[in-house]
Amino acid sequence: MKSAILSVGTELLFGQITNTNSVYLSQQLNDLGIDVMYHYTVGDNPKRLAEMIRQAFTDCDVIVTTGGLGPTQDDLTKEIAAEVLHDELVLHEDLLEELEGYFKKINRVMTENNKKQVYLPSRAVVFDNDAGTAPGFALEENGKTIICMPGPPREMTRMFERRVRPYLEAKSEDVIYYKMLRTFGIGESMLETELQEWIDGQTDPTLATYAKEGEACLRITSKRRTLEEAKAAVEDMIEKVNRKVGQFVYSYDDEEFYHVVGRKMIEQNLSFSCAESCTGGLFAQTITEVPGISAVFDRGLVTYSNRAKMEELGVKAETLEKFGAVSEETAIEMAEGLRKVTGSRLCVSVTGIAGPDGGTEEKPVGLVYICAILDDERVSREFKIRNTNRKWNRNYTVLCMLDMINHLIEGRK
Amino acid sequence: MKSAILSVGTELLFGQITNTNSVYLSQQLNDLGIDVMYHYTVGDNPKRLAEMIRQAFTDCDVIVTTGGLGPTQDDLTKEIAAEVLHDELVLHEDLLEELEGYFKKINRVMTENNKKQVYLPSRAVVFDNDAGTAPGFALEENGKTIICMPGPPREMTRMFERRVRPYLEAKSEDVIYYKMLRTFGIGESMLETELQEWIDGQTDPTLATYAKEGEACLRITSKRRTLEEAKAAVEDMIEKVNRKVGQFVYSYDDEEFYHVVGRKMIEQNLSFSCAESCTGGLFAQTITEVPGISAVFDRGLVTYSNRAKMEELGVKAETLEKFGAVSEETAIEMAEGLRKVTGSRLCVSVTGIAGPDGGTEEKPVGLVYICAILDDERVSREFKIRNTNRKWNRNYTVLCMLDMINHLIEGRK
């Protein structure tokens, strides 16, 4: 099946908002085995909207639209969709009752124009909106389908998950199953090279690599008549992949690295603390995104100044003088000091030069030292990040820290 | 002038990448007083690309494209642009020399297909690419202009800044001048209401409000024959705006709040430290994004556990027992303790419930206490953030902290 994604709304053309709907829908449609041929964004322009729908239907079977379903007079998606697919809008009584009930519940007056939202094409398959007031719908004619959803991302993604996905799944005879593997430490080019024999001439399952800010992802997808067949095909390929690059895979379920590591800390009840310099709190902030982390996280010390390193962690003045704040020796003393102060089983420290300034010939921007201690095991490493962008360096440094911790935790098995 | 933005590239249709080019270009074009009518994204589909260019030209004067300028056989933007505007591709010798020189410098062999990049329309105004290998260009015919730029965002934005913006500015007789004001603590609806008398029936300058994650922005734009006139018109409006909502404005130059506050700390040489609980290091991480902050930032203590609050900051066990970790009393003891430990002139603390779990009837998710001390002045406040999203709550809490610090600093004038 071929599709086009149509985003309706002038606010998208001003450049103040990023169109996340089309990204989300592209992913979802591709997941369902539906090719996405075009993205269109139009303002509140009924003539052009109708033109684009007709044009998309010349080579697409499905059009998915977002936006233009609201109560104002600029909201014209339904009218145009009905016009193109030879239908007319009628009042859906049951939806009107629900809408009136909603306004009563939130104790607000329902203005006349709100009623507009419950006029839908007579042949429409209605998708209820439990996160907003405008229902969505699907309308078909002669093998052409248009699916109209609200613009606000939260409402749209919810409606897609609850109603549109099952609707589209029912249209296909095949079942798609995929796994998204996440790797760290290998890079997309090398990952592709290592898996070349299965990438070349692939049929099913398919393998696709993606670069993701310092990481590399691998998507293994199979499309079969039954879920069991598709699953088996994917799992077979995962086994092959593991034999080549298994040591770099940190998730088989598209999980964020910090989530994977945070989860392991919680599951294994590993009390932990962190001491950061160049990352400025980014590691602590990231790991505390994991709900429930308070069960194991004691404290994070952002010892930005040398004085703070000495006072909080007991780093020796001589060490800072002799080796500098950015050195393996300092990273080790930070982590050991943290262990003394907190008693946490898992301690990690980082010191480095995030940039863009602060680098020298001897110690350039991107130079980072990380030390991690788990019980009586300690590792320390130097990283030379070849980037001058402060934000990128800090983000990547956090990934390096997670990787070192992950290896420590996994090493005990 | 009316424009359309055309993004070329199949990778955009898979949903793995967000199309940031069209957002950037929409902003830039709007800044230049050029209306953006449509966004299109197509894959490597020459027939559809030509159709879309022709269609856009039925009501637009300018089309801006990104992508499709590379060396592979799928890169067909130039061929199509030349075809639609009745021109042909010719080898630009000077560009070929530059390209050969580049490959020599990086010590790599220039493959034959790389030469493709220096074939451009004969009438093209060439835009050099100093961040990549593919030059861009503008091509005109009968008042219709197409501007073609590389796909990679870094190359595209650089080319736009250096070459395309001046090219487009030269096409207009008028000068655009605008200021983007950033406010905190008022909200977009209220901001709009306060400025209603100037928003209604506005001609020049124009006023436009934008919501931005917990903040509200106001863009004041004037389009006149000279820069002086436009500037004067904008400044006149700013004076009017200040009289109504000046106390909420933290930047007149579209600067991020943390940048404004960090800058003031550095300028006034205010040594500072922070103590965080629910924000988990997000405040420290945010303020350390400001280059040069090491001149004033001493340390950040992420006292996530009660034990850490007592050990690091001297918060009393009785206080935690009587009032709880999330209380104004605890926030005050955290800040006072931080002052004792660090001696920093500016100390800020925060404790709260970020969610989604951890809330009770008495202390719901979104409840936050912040305390800020500057020399001998101390303020503490309770915030009731009406949101259950952890990330949103943490981000908004940091804004609240910045706001309190900003008021303390400004209060001394």
Side-chain angles (χ1 to χ4, degrees):
Chain A
M1 258 199 281
K2 291 199 169 97
S3 69
I5 296 172
L6 228 138
S7 309
V8 181
T10 334
E11 69 279 6
L12 292 163
L13 298 170
F14 281 132
Q16 296 303 123
I17 312 177
T18 306
N19 188 348
T20 54
N21 286 346
S22 55
V23 183
Y24 172 84
L25 288 169
S26 289
Q27 285 173 354
Q28 298 299 320
L29 291 168
N30 273 288
D31 279 3
L32 289 160
I34 299 171
D35 292 322
V36 178
M37 308 304 290
Y38 322 102
H39 291 169
Y40 297 128
T41 304
V42 292
D44 307 312
N45 185 334
K47 184 165 161 288
R48 183 52 68 104
L49 181 54
E51 262 176 43
M52 293 183 124
I53 293 176
R54 288 192 168 96
Q55 180 172 59
F57 272 142
T58 59
D59 58 2
C60 296
D61 316 288
V62 179
I63 297 176
V64 181
T65 79
T66 62
L69 296 184
T72 77
Q73 58 191 40
D74 292 328
D75 292 299
L76 293 167
T77 303
K78 289 181 299 188
E79 284 80 347
I80 306 299
E83 179 195 307
V84 176
L85 293 185
H86 307 105
D87 196 355
E88 52 173 359
L89 300 188
V90 298
L91 174 64
H92 285 236
E93 290 287 352
D94 52 341
L95 295 174
L96 177 60
E97 270 179 51
E98 268 183 56
L99 191 64
E100 285 171 334
Y102 168 80
F103 274 92
K104 204 166 275 174
K105 192 174 88 169
I106 62 164
N107 210 11
R108 264 174 51 191
V109 174
M110 184 176 104
T111 51
E112 192 60 27
N113 63 1
N114 266 303
K115 252 198 198 162
K116 191 170 176 288
Q117 292 170 97
V118 295
Y119 276 82
L120 295 173
S122 68
R123 303 190 316 264
V125 172
V126 179
F127 301 136
D128 61 301
N129 181 351
D130 74 344
T133 52
F137 64 91
L139 184 62
E140 292 186 59
E141 193 193 40
N142 297 332
K144 302 292 181 185
T145 305
I146 190 165
I147 294 171
C148 300
M149 288 187 291
R154 207 170 46 93
E155 295 181 34
M156 187 279 290
T157 55
R158 211 167 143 66
M159 188 181 286
F160 191 93
E161 270 310 306
R162 291 175 68 237
R163 300 287 179 246
V164 180
R165 172 190 284 283
Y167 172 84
L168 287 170
E169 277 171 342
K171 283 188 162 293
S172 169
E173 289 178 334
D174 293 314
V175 174
I176 308 250
Y177 182 83
Y178 76 92
K179 280 287 201 183
M180 182 72 99
L181 279 61
R182 310 250 292 209
T183 75
F184 183 77
I186 182 169
E188 197 196 357
S189 303
M190 184 60 71
L191 181 64
E192 200 179 63
T193 305
E194 287 287 313
L195 306 177
Q196 208 67 56
E197 62 180 288
W198 300 304
I199 290 177
D200 289 341
Q202 52 178 288
T203 46
D204 186 288
T206 55
L207 283 89
T209 59
Y210 303 104
K212 204 179 163 77
E213 280 242 8
E215 310 180 43
C217 306
L218 173 69
R219 190 189 213 272
I220 302 171
T221 317
S222 176
K223 185 171 171 176
R224 299 289 170 101
R225 298 313 306 261
T226 67
L227 181 61
E228 291 70 37
E229 283 176 61
K231 242 178 150 173
V234 169
E235 270 151 28
D236 180 67
M237 180 57 71
I238 287 182
E239 249 180 84
K240 296 186 171 106
V241 167
N242 271 341
R243 264 176 261 141
K244 281 262 177 161
V245 296
Q247 73 268 41
F248 299 104
V249 180
Y250 70 77
S251 172
Y252 292 87
D253 291 296
D254 205 16
E255 233 185 322
E256 292 285 348
F257 209 176
Y258 70 84
H259 234 283
V260 170
V261 174
R263 197 174 26 79
K264 288 181 187 177
M265 290 177 184
I266 296 170
E267 280 167 4
Q268 298 184 35
N269 204 22
L270 293 176
S271 58
F272 97 97
S273 295
C274 52
E276 307 178 59
S277 194
C278 56
T279 43
L282 183 58
F283 183 85
Q285 182 259 117
T286 302
I287 205 72
T288 54
E289 289 270 350
V290 183
I293 201 72
S294 53
V296 288
F297 183 45
D298 178 51
R299 75 197 75 172
L301 303 179
V302 184
T303 49
Y304 214 65
S305 65
N306 279 1
R307 185 171 143 240
K309 288 179 181 70
M310 292 188 285
E311 289 179 11
E312 295 287 342
L313 302 167
V315 173
K316 296 198 285 288
E318 302 81 60
T319 306
L320 290 168
E321 250 182 72
K322 186 168 177 196
F323 301 103
V326 178
S327 62
E328 196 162 351
E329 290 80 2
T330 295
I332 289 172
E333 286 193 19
M334 284 170 73
E336 295 283 2
L338 185 66
R339 163 59 71 78
K340 264 203 206 78
V341 168
T342 66
S344 294
R345 287 176 63 193
L346 179 59
C347 292
V348 66
S349 72
V350 60
T351 175
I353 304 164
D357 310 311
T360 59
E361 252 204 73
E362 205 190 283
K363 300 200 185 187
V365 165
L367 179 65
V368 168
Y369 294 93
I370 299 169
C371 178
I373 306 175
L374 174 53
D375 293 329
D376 52 9
E377 199 177 339
R378 184 184 87 194
V379 291
S380 53
R381 270 189 67 180
E382 173 190 278
F383 294 86
K384 284 191 167 108
I385 305 171
R386 301 188 196 293
N387 202 303
T388 50
N389 184 278
R390 189 181 182 84
K391 210 166 183 135
W392 206 95
N393 283 346
R394 295 189 355 158
N395 285 335
Y396 190 74
T397 300
V398 167
L399 292 177
C400 295
M401 293 166 76
L402 291 167
D403 192 48
M404 280 177 70
I405 293 172
N406 195 35
H407 276 106
L408 263 181
I409 295 178
E410 288 301 309
R412 351 194 77 216
K413 293 199 178 150
Chain B
M1 259 199 284
K2 291 196 168 100
S3 69
I5 297 172
L6 229 138
S7 309
V8 180
T10 333
E11 68 279 3
L12 291 163
L13 299 170
F14 281 132
Q16 296 304 124
I17 312 177
T18 305
N19 187 350
T20 55
N21 285 346
S22 55
V23 182
Y24 171 85
L25 287 169
S26 287
Q27 285 174 353
Q28 298 299 320
L29 291 168
N30 274 288
D31 279 4
L32 288 160
I34 298 171
D35 292 322
V36 178
M37 309 303 292
Y38 323 102
H39 290 170
Y40 297 128
T41 304
V42 292
D44 307 312
N45 185 333
K47 185 164 160 289
R48 183 52 69 101
L49 180 55
E51 264 176 44
M52 294 182 124
I53 293 176
R54 289 192 167 98
Q55 179 172 59
F57 272 142
T58 59
D59 57 2
C60 298
D61 317 288
V62 181
I63 296 177
V64 182
T65 78
T66 61
L69 296 184
T72 76
Q73 58 191 41
D74 291 328
D75 292 300
L76 292 167
T77 303
K78 289 182 299 188
E79 284 79 348
I80 305 301
E83 179 195 308
V84 175
L85 294 186
H86 307 105
D87 196 355
E88 51 172 0
L89 299 187
V90 298
L91 173 65
H92 286 236
E93 290 286 352
D94 51 339
L95 296 174
L96 177 61
E97 269 178 51
E98 267 183 56
L99 192 64
E100 286 172 333
Y102 168 80
F103 274 92
K104 204 167 276 177
K105 193 174 86 165
I106 62 165
N107 210 9
R108 265 174 48 193
V109 173
M110 183 176 104
T111 51
E112 192 59 28
N113 62 2
N114 267 302
K115 252 200 198 159
K116 194 171 174 288
Q117 291 170 95
V118 294
Y119 275 82
L120 295 174
S122 69
R123 303 191 316 264
V125 171
V126 179
F127 302 135
D128 61 298
N129 181 352
D130 74 344
T133 52
F137 64 91
L139 184 62
E140 293 187 57
E141 193 192 41
N142 295 332
K144 301 291 181 188
T145 305
I146 190 165
I147 294 171
C148 301
M149 288 187 290
R154 208 170 46 93
E155 294 180 37
M156 186 279 290
T157 55
R158 212 167 142 66
M159 188 181 286
F160 191 94
E161 270 311 306
R162 293 175 66 237
R163 300 287 180 245
V164 180
R165 171 190 286 283
Y167 173 84
L168 287 170
E169 278 171 340
K171 281 188 162 297
S172 167
E173 287 176 334
D174 292 315
V175 173
I176 309 254
Y177 181 82
Y178 76 93
K179 280 286 203 183
M180 183 71 98
L181 279 61
R182 311 249 292 208
T183 75
F184 182 77
I186 183 171
E188 198 195 356
S189 303
M190 185 59 72
L191 181 64
E192 200 178 63
T193 303
E194 288 288 312
L195 306 177
Q196 208 66 56
E197 62 178 287
W198 299 305
I199 290 176
D200 289 343
Q202 52 178 288
T203 45
D204 187 287
T206 55
L207 283 88
T209 59
Y210 303 103
K212 202 180 164 75
E213 280 241 6
E215 310 179 41
C217 306
L218 173 69
R219 189 191 215 271
I220 302 171
T221 318
S222 176
K223 185 171 171 178
R224 301 289 171 101
R225 298 313 305 262
T226 67
L227 182 61
E228 290 71 39
E229 284 177 58
K231 242 177 151 173
V234 170
E235 271 150 30
D236 179 68
M237 180 57 70
I238 287 181
E239 250 179 83
K240 296 186 170 105
V241 167
N242 271 342
R243 265 177 259 141
K244 283 261 176 161
V245 295
Q247 73 267 40
F248 299 103
V249 180
Y250 69 78
S251 172
Y252 293 87
D253 291 296
D254 205 16
E255 234 185 322
E256 293 285 349
F257 209 175
Y258 70 86
H259 234 283
V260 171
V261 174
R263 198 173 27 78
K264 289 181 186 177
M265 290 177 184
I266 296 170
E267 281 166 5
Q268 299 184 35
N269 204 22
L270 294 175
S271 58
F272 98 97
S273 295
C274 53
E276 308 179 57
S277 194
C278 55
T279 42
L282 182 58
F283 183 85
Q285 182 260 117
T286 301
I287 205 71
T288 54
E289 288 270 352
V290 184
I293 201 71
S294 54
V296 288
F297 183 45
D298 178 51
R299 76 196 75 173
L301 303 178
V302 184
T303 48
Y304 215 65
S305 64
N306 279 1
R307 185 172 143 238
K309 288 179 181 69
M310 294 189 285
E311 288 179 12
E312 293 290 340
L313 302 166
V315 174
K316 297 198 286 289
E318 302 83 60
T319 308
L320 290 169
E321 248 182 76
K322 189 170 177 196
F323 301 103
V326 178
S327 62
E328 195 162 351
E329 290 79 1
T330 295
I332 290 172
E333 286 193 20
M334 283 171 73
E336 296 282 3
L338 185 66
R339 161 61 69 83
K340 263 205 207 77
V341 168
T342 65
S344 295
R345 289 175 62 191
L346 180 59
C347 292
V348 66
S349 72
V350 60
T351 176
I353 304 164
D357 311 309
T360 59
E361 252 205 74
E362 204 189 286
K363 299 200 185 188
V365 165
L367 179 65
V368 168
Y369 294 93
I370 299 170
C371 177
I373 306 174
L374 175 51
D375 294 326
D376 51 8
E377 201 179 335
R378 186 183 86 195
V379 292
S380 52
R381 271 189 66 180
E382 174 191 277
F383 294 85
K384 285 189 168 109
I385 305 171
R386 302 187 195 292
N387 202 304
T388 51
N389 183 278
R390 189 182 183 83
K391 211 166 183 136
W392 206 96
N393 283 345
R394 294 187 357 155
N395 285 335
Y396 190 74
T397 300
V398 167
L399 292 176
C400 295
M401 293 167 77
L402 291 167
D403 192 48
M404 280 177 70
I405 293 172
N406 195 36
H407 275 108
L408 264 181
I409 295 178
E410 289 302 309
R412 351 194 77 216
K413 292 200 180 151

